[in-house]
Amino acid sequence: MKKKNNEESHNVTDTPDNLPSVNDILFYVEKLSRPVGKNDIARHFKVKGNDRIGLKQRLKEMTERGQLGAGKGRTVYIPASLPPIGFIIIEDIDSNGELTARPEKWPLKDGDKGERPTIFVMPDKKGRVTPERGDRILAKLKKINSGEYEARPIKKMEKIGKDKDDFLAFVSIHKDEFRLYPTDKRIRQTYRVIAKNAVAGVKSGDLVMARPLSGIQAEIVEIVGHQNDPNIISLISIHALGIPTKFSHETIEETKDMSVPELGKREDLRSVALVTIDGADSRDFDDAVFAEEDTDPNNEGGWHLIVGIADVSYYVRPNSALDDDAYERGNSCYFPDRVVPMLPEKLSNDLCSLVPHQPRACMACHMWIDHNGNLIRKKITRALMQSHARLTYNQVEHALFHGEPDETTAPLLDPTLKNLKRAFKILLRAREKRGTLDLHIPERQVTIEDGKITAIRPREDLQSHKLIEEFMVLANVAVAEALEEKKAPCIYRIHPEPDAARLASTRSFLKEMGFTLEGGSNTQPAHLNRLLTQTAGSPQAPLINEMVLRSQSQALYSPDNVGHFGLALDKYAHFTSPIRRYADLVVHRSLVKAFGLGEGGLSDDEAQKLDVTADHISNTERRAVMAERESLSRYVSAFLSDRLGATFPGMITGVNSHGVFVRLDETGAEGFVPIRTLPNDYYVHDEARHALVGKDTRRIYRLSAPLTVRLIEASGQTGSLILEVVGDFGADILESHQIRGISRGHGRSHKGGERKSSNTPQREKITMKSRKKGPKNRKNKGKRTKPY
């Protein structure tokens, strides 16, 4: 009989019939999800006597082929394997110029103790990718042997964030000694740099990327900027988190000859009264809206809505330099003083921006809803549109909701804007009936002049914001449904149900405050909304909204749909912002291919690596959120640095064994009150009460309590605010019976009242000087952060 090749023989049994097959063994071991003893396998399959020798041989062969891994104590397990497409890190280049790499993530499965595989990197046939040691590469992966893979590069990627141990710091030079003061407030120590480890030309006040060596020694890797640079604060966040800021030469070249396409086979929407509604400072208009009553007699009271979205997929094609840069960024990043865009300005602010009275390529989502706001029909087209007006949220708010149209909105009021409002009211009722989680987390609006904050105030929560949000949410739902109906690939925006342990912790916290969260083990958004409604207007309302937010799972991107808990939707994808989100661009490409809408559709390679793409853009989104938050904290700290010694009312928003966190009512800034600054006592961290309790005085500082504090330190470099308590306001006194459990040692004790006197030498600081250059009279540049 002709011998079968190895690939075929994996599923062939030529040993006695009473031995389990290879597939049976693999299924059993994988089902247990842990290393399994060989005796356990024999018992499970009832293999006895001499047949155990045959089983032992079969397990040995499966281990040699890499189907099983050999663990400790004669156990076997399903070894982790690499996906068909994944990220690798180039490790070595030998004397012949051959490259080897390692997987970026290993092990891939819990409990896998197998050896990390070796990856041999093949040359890129097109010559577009030239990997070097340390590069992060997206590659096609093929298993060639047990523990060995072959990789063919697809793209060279920039690492998400900086190297693990690198840190940003300001330089201070005294005589021949270089000192580094980290911008990360979690790094308490300063570093020293000897001259040979300093970059040529470095001077006092420079912002540098540094790498620790040993002890307090470090080396300077590169000069990033200087403390007098007008936008130094956002620059710190950008470089600290490794956000790319420059487009490649190839990318810029690709945009030079681009232009708006002709009508061709596109739907002609130029005569339809589509309008854009955005922030006053926005320059990238990626969505336009239109509404009219449905003339279908079978849909009485229904509406026909159109959401037109910039056709970015027409310009940004797979495997182009533009696509490489957009993928690397994952999304645009918005700071108080600047925007780091996902796409070059030629696209983001020109060709892809739906500017008024100019033809622009768009993806159009036609939607028909009934009188209850249910989506009953949809149609996706590629179109050519011409925005009839560029409107701001404030203009639409005054025109539609306050009866105060201006010269721009007055001619559009009837029917264009009034139709939008009528359709919005129907969608809003549907949202309320659906039970969407309705959190109220105030955003802060920052005004900057000459590179410094001049005002911080709460951002207005307008009906016009909600109008656009409802139109966009409906379009995102329609697109997700359309792709599912076509059985086409999709990157969903998912929001899993809250973790049970988190909800239990939230319930415990609320109980301490005298509130109840209904729903038990099946808590739904409606239960959370009931709690938020009951507490609305109370002093604790802001904190309860935040605690409910913290109890939620993180929203992310995934090719596997689990629904969106917060929006109470079964299907949801991001479609409406392809200028600033790569996820939306992928969805557009899938629509183009699924509906046969022309060039720029999703490639087979992209479809194969959707899980890798989803993971990557989820990471870049988290990176952007972190950078924006840290930048705002630094700006606020710099803003308050002129008010040292001033007192502020606030609320305790967090408690740990080292002190309490307080949010200031005036600015929304959050500072820390170290336990050493509290009135003299031994304080116990009572985790059950979310409080610090004084053993002797019975004074208690609990979560959500109002507190008056004094500002004693503010650093624009690190974003830290250090506060101290003023008086006893907000500090309750416990009764004797309430303190007993704590005095027996429940929690951790720390002594208060030990703050250093003002004469104690403080570590040297570099002062943030006022800016003489930079943008003037600017508010948050870019778009309002949209939840859809």
Side-chain angles (χ1 to χ4, degrees):
M1 188 172 102
K2 186 176 179 181
K3 187 177 180 181
K4 295 179 179 287
N5 62 40
N6 287 339
E7 184 177 346
E8 291 172 331
S9 67
H10 290 179
N11 296 321
V12 173
T13 303
D14 48 13
T15 47
D17 290 339
N18 51 347
L19 285 185
S21 70
V22 168
N23 282 343
D24 287 341
I25 294 171
L26 290 175
F27 180 79
Y28 172 65
V29 177
E30 187 166 26
K31 182 176 69 173
L32 294 180
S33 300
R34 59 173 174 78
V36 183
K38 295 177 183 178
N39 289 336
D40 294 331
I41 296 174
R43 279 193 295 269
H44 177 78
F45 291 105
K46 298 179 181 178
V47 179
K48 300 178 181 178
N50 291 334
D51 289 340
R52 288 196 170 215
I53 298 174
L55 177 62
K56 181 179 179 182
Q57 181 62 28
R58 173 158 294 180
L59 294 174
K60 180 181 178 182
E61 290 172 356
M62 292 174 68
T63 303
E64 289 173 349
R65 287 196 297 261
Q67 292 172 297
L68 292 175
K72 294 181 180 180
R74 300 177 63 192
T75 60
V76 293
Y77 58 91
I78 302 294
S81 58
L82 298 177
I85 295 178
F87 291 110
I88 61 174
I89 305 297
I90 304 300
E91 280 199 315
D92 198 15
I93 304 176
D94 65 19
S95 57
N96 296 321
E98 294 184 349
L99 282 68
T100 58
R102 62 174 173 82
E104 183 180 47
K105 295 181 179 179
W106 189 266
L108 298 179
K109 292 186 178 181
D110 293 340
D112 190 344
K113 308 297 182 184
E115 291 290 327
R116 191 181 71 192
T118 299
I119 302 172
F120 298 98
V121 184
M122 301 294 105
D124 176 25
K125 293 179 181 179
K126 297 181 181 179
R128 292 185 64 236
V129 183
T130 54
E132 299 176 357
R133 185 183 285 108
D135 281 350
R136 180 174 180 255
I137 303 291
L138 181 65
K140 290 183 178 180
L141 301 169
K142 178 182 178 182
K143 193 168 188 176
I144 56 176
N145 230 322
S146 176
E148 293 182 347
Y149 283 78
E150 181 181 276
R152 294 197 176 275
I154 299 173
K155 296 178 183 178
K156 181 189 290 189
M157 311 304 301
E158 188 167 306
K159 292 182 180 179
I160 296 179
K162 56 185 175 45
D163 287 345
K164 181 180 178 182
D165 296 323
D166 288 3
F167 62 94
L168 277 173
F170 283 101
V171 177
S172 174
I173 304 175
H174 181 66
K175 294 184 179 179
D176 293 330
E177 184 179 73
F178 294 75
R179 289 191 179 182
L180 302 180
Y181 295 90
T183 59
D184 188 338
K185 58 188 174 186
R186 294 167 296 185
I187 303 176
R188 293 296 183 182
Q189 71 179 36
T190 59
Y191 286 85
R192 294 182 180 180
V193 179
I194 59 176
K196 70 175 184 177
N197 291 328
V199 176
V202 67
K203 56 188 180 295
S204 280
D206 277 346
L207 177 66
V208 299
M209 187 67 74
R211 184 168 297 152
L213 296 175
S214 60
I216 61 171
Q217 297 294 321
E219 64 177 344
I220 295 174
V221 178
E222 64 172 321
I223 300 172
V224 172
H226 191 271
Q227 67 179 42
N228 291 338
D229 293 344
N231 306 121
I232 191 65
I233 289 180
S234 57
L235 198 65
I236 292 172
S237 296
I238 289 168
H239 282 271
L241 290 159
I243 295 173
T245 56
K246 295 180 180 178
F247 292 101
S248 68
H249 173 74
E250 292 79 8
T251 290
I252 300 302
E253 286 296 311
E254 284 181 357
T255 66
K256 281 186 176 179
D257 297 324
M258 287 183 172
S259 60
V260 176
E262 299 294 327
L263 178 62
K265 295 181 179 180
R266 291 174 177 267
E267 181 184 14
D268 191 352
L269 294 177
R270 287 174 292 183
S271 62
V272 176
L274 285 153
V275 297
T276 64
I277 305 174
D278 293 274
D281 299 321
S282 297
R283 294 170 64 191
D284 52 342
F285 314 128
D286 50 13
D287 55 79
V289 291
F290 169 80
E292 64 181 356
E293 290 183 271
D294 189 2
T295 56
D296 186 346
N298 295 320
N299 188 28
E300 187 176 348
W303 287 79
H304 170 220
L305 314 179
I306 303 176
V307 171
I309 304 297
D311 188 2
V312 176
S313 63
Y314 173 78
Y315 301 98
V316 184
R317 304 292 176 89
N319 300 318
S320 64
L322 255 173
D323 187 48
D324 288 349
D325 277 351
Y327 179 93
E328 183 181 348
R329 284 160 172 74
N331 44 259
S332 298
C333 299
Y334 295 86
F335 299 96
D337 61 342
R338 71 171 80 190
V339 176
V340 180
M342 186 180 82
L343 300 175
E345 190 172 349
K346 175 74 176 289
L347 295 182
S348 61
N349 294 345
D350 185 7
L351 294 178
C352 291
S353 186
L354 306 180
V355 295
H357 314 303
Q358 295 292 327
R360 286 293 182 266
C362 76
M363 293 286 289
C365 183
H366 294 261
M367 298 164 290
W368 287 265
I369 59 173
D370 64 18
H371 66 283
N372 290 319
N374 298 310
L375 180 64
I376 58 174
R377 189 156 60 94
K378 54 198 171 284
K379 182 176 74 171
I380 309 294
T381 68
R382 234 174 181 171
L384 195 68
M385 63 161 283
Q386 189 162 301
S387 170
H388 283 218
R390 180 272 197 264
L391 305 177
T392 68
Y393 288 117
N394 281 326
Q395 281 180 304
V396 174
E397 185 76 15
H398 284 285
L400 282 183
F401 301 99
H402 299 289
E404 301 170 355
D406 60 16
E407 59 183 12
T408 304
T409 54
L412 295 166
L413 198 57
D414 200 358
T416 301
L417 295 182
K418 286 186 176 179
N419 279 350
L420 291 176
K421 182 181 180 181
R422 290 168 67 193
F424 162 59
K425 285 186 174 181
I426 293 174
L427 293 175
L428 197 60
R429 286 200 301 271
R431 174 192 179 99
E432 291 167 354
K433 182 179 179 181
R434 194 170 72 237
T436 298
L437 183 58
D438 193 16
L439 287 168
H440 296 278
I441 307 295
E443 295 183 52
R444 286 175 284 174
Q445 184 172 3
V446 175
T447 303
I448 295 178
E449 297 178 8
D450 297 326
K452 294 182 69 176
I453 288 183
T454 56
I456 302 173
R457 54 180 65 90
R459 186 185 295 275
E460 291 181 285
D461 188 16
L462 304 178
Q463 289 295 304
S464 54
H465 292 152
K466 295 176 182 177
L467 184 154
I468 290 298
E469 180 180 338
E470 288 307 311
F471 272 70
M472 299 304 116
V473 167
L474 186 66
N476 288 336
V477 170
V479 162
E481 289 183 356
L483 288 175
E484 277 204 9
E485 290 165 4
K486 286 283 187 178
K487 294 181 169 54
C490 180
I491 289 184
Y492 295 93
R493 179 64 168 181
I494 64 171
H495 182 214
E497 293 183 356
D499 177 71
R502 283 188 182 179
L503 278 179
S505 176
T506 302
R507 276 195 174 85
S508 173
F509 158 74
L510 291 168
K511 187 176 180 181
E512 280 291 318
M513 296 177 66
F515 299 108
T516 301
L517 173 59
E518 301 171 355
S521 59
N522 188 33
T523 300
Q524 297 299 313
H527 298 121
L528 296 167
N529 283 342
R530 198 168 299 129
L531 168 72
L532 297 172
T533 301
Q534 289 170 355
T535 58
S538 70
Q540 294 86 2
L543 186 60
I544 290 175
N545 273 267
E546 188 162 318
M547 289 302 294
V548 170
L549 177 63
R550 291 179 188 178
S551 73
Q552 301 301 297
S553 300
Q554 189 165 31
L556 67 156
Y557 296 106
S558 172
D560 302 313
N561 183 29
V562 300
H564 197 294
F565 177 83
L567 291 175
L569 294 168
D570 293 329
K571 302 177 184 70
Y572 194 68
H574 273 166
F575 160 76
T576 56
S577 296
I579 292 177
R580 63 184 179 91
R581 290 190 306 228
Y582 194 84
D584 304 53
L585 175 56
V586 174
V587 168
H588 278 227
R589 287 173 176 167
S590 191
L591 289 168
V592 169
K593 183 175 182 179
F595 287 90
L597 299 178
E599 297 179 321
L602 193 71
S603 68
D604 292 339
D605 280 350
E606 285 184 295
Q608 191 178 14
K609 66 180 181 71
L610 277 190
D611 55 341
V612 176
T613 300
D615 183 59
H616 171 72
I617 58 182
S618 293
N619 287 335
T620 59
E621 179 189 39
R622 285 191 287 270
R623 175 182 68 181
V625 169
M626 190 181 302
E628 292 163 9
R629 185 187 299 130
E630 289 185 0
S631 176
L632 184 58
S633 292
R634 287 188 171 94
Y635 266 115
V636 172
S637 295
F639 173 65
L640 292 174
S641 62
D642 293 335
R643 302 178 67 181
L644 295 180
T647 59
F648 303 90
M651 176 187 287
I652 297 177
T653 57
V655 180
N656 64 25
S657 58
H658 301 290
V660 298
F661 295 91
V662 176
R663 178 176 297 138
L664 307 184
D665 295 343
E666 181 183 329
T667 60
E670 191 167 77
F672 185 63
V673 179
I675 203 166
R676 58 181 167 79
T677 68
L678 296 178
N680 193 28
D681 202 343
Y682 280 94
Y683 289 91
V684 177
H685 179 211
D686 183 355
E687 295 183 20
R689 287 189 174 93
H690 300 276
L692 284 178
V693 182
K695 280 189 173 183
D696 297 332
T697 62
R698 302 198 299 275
R699 184 182 283 109
I700 178 171
Y701 295 95
R702 70 168 82 234
L703 204 63
S704 83
L707 204 62
T708 301
V709 293
R710 179 181 292 109
L711 179 62
I712 59 176
E713 183 181 322
S715 170
Q717 296 165 22
T718 65
S720 66
L721 291 175
I722 304 299
L723 312 166
E724 66 179 1
V725 174
V726 177
D728 288 333
F729 179 69
D732 297 333
I733 303 298
L734 292 181
E735 299 297 329
S736 298
H737 69 278
Q738 294 176 297
I739 200 77
R740 282 179 196 138
I742 300 171
S743 62
R744 286 196 299 269
H746 176 73
R748 295 176 60 187
S749 296
H750 292 268
K751 190 175 182 180
E754 294 182 341
R755 187 166 73 87
K756 295 177 182 178
S757 71
S758 59
N759 296 324
T760 304
Q762 301 292 314
R763 80 174 193 178
E764 182 181 351
K765 290 186 175 63
I766 295 174
T767 305
M768 302 296 294
K769 298 182 179 179
S770 60
R771 319 290 175 219
K772 296 183 179 179
K773 297 180 180 180
K776 295 185 177 182
N777 299 318
R778 298 173 69 182
K779 296 183 180 178
N780 281 8
K781 185 179 177 182
K783 300 192 115 178
R784 175 178 182 264
T785 302
K786 299 177 181 177
Y788 41 83

